[in-house]
Amino acid sequence: GDEKKDDKKADAKKADKKADKKDDAKKDESASKVDAKDIYSKKCKSCHGATGKADTKLGEKNKIEDWTVAGWKSKWSAAKVEDIVTNGKSGTKMKPFKDKLTAEEIKAVSKYARSLGK
């Protein structure tokens, strides 16, 4: 009966090694993670404002929506925000960013922008 115990230990070791590899991948991923706040500052803030209130000259001029109004977030899903960042929003000054940002950057900056909303 001792042989079975040894097998379990060997399996546990294998599982540990796999878990370690997963952790390493996570670390690498976060290292390559895009700086969403930096992208937002460079590409979005001039119209949408630092806090998403659109309290900028361009925001006021173009009647950009204030994201900090209660209920904004429930109206604008993550997918919808990503779509607008990717493809722009017709009838507005919001241009598409699909040629300016990578898919990873769009996802990150959309998540960041949405996090400013209420």
Side-chain angles (χ1 to χ4, degrees):
D2 289 341
E3 284 172 29
K4 282 182 183 168
K5 283 182 188 165
D6 288 344
D7 285 348
K8 279 185 183 160
K9 278 183 191 165
D11 286 346
K13 278 183 186 161
K14 276 183 204 162
D16 286 348
K17 279 185 185 160
K18 276 183 193 162
D20 289 347
K21 279 185 185 154
K22 273 184 195 160
D23 289 344
D24 288 348
K26 274 185 197 157
K27 280 178 201 153
D28 292 347
E29 199 179 287
S30 65
S32 74
K33 234 184 190 167
V34 290
D35 187 343
K37 191 173 182 179
D38 184 55
I39 295 169
Y40 184 89
S41 293
K42 289 177 179 163
K43 309 276 186 200
C44 318
K45 193 172 91 175
S46 58
C47 293
H48 291 288
T51 61
K53 272 176 116 45
D55 52 355
T56 61
K57 280 183 186 167
L58 287 167
E60 287 162 24
K61 184 180 165 199
N62 296 302
K63 296 179 178 57
I64 296 173
E65 228 177 295
D66 177 355
W67 301 340
T68 64
V69 172
W72 180 86
K73 214 180 222 180
S74 60
K75 211 168 75 173
W76 297 90
S77 68
K80 203 168 175 182
V81 173
E82 276 178 40
D83 179 60
I84 290 169
V85 175
T86 305
N87 302 307
K89 190 174 177 208
S90 63
T92 72
K93 294 276 184 192
M94 179 67 196
K95 292 194 241 14
F97 280 87
K98 62 177 178 255
D99 299 330
K100 295 177 177 71
L101 299 173
T102 67
E104 190 186 6
E105 287 171 329
I106 287 172
K107 204 172 193 60
V109 80
S110 298
K111 188 177 179 183
Y112 176 80
R114 205 163 166 273
S115 78
L116 299 172
K118 297 274 184 282

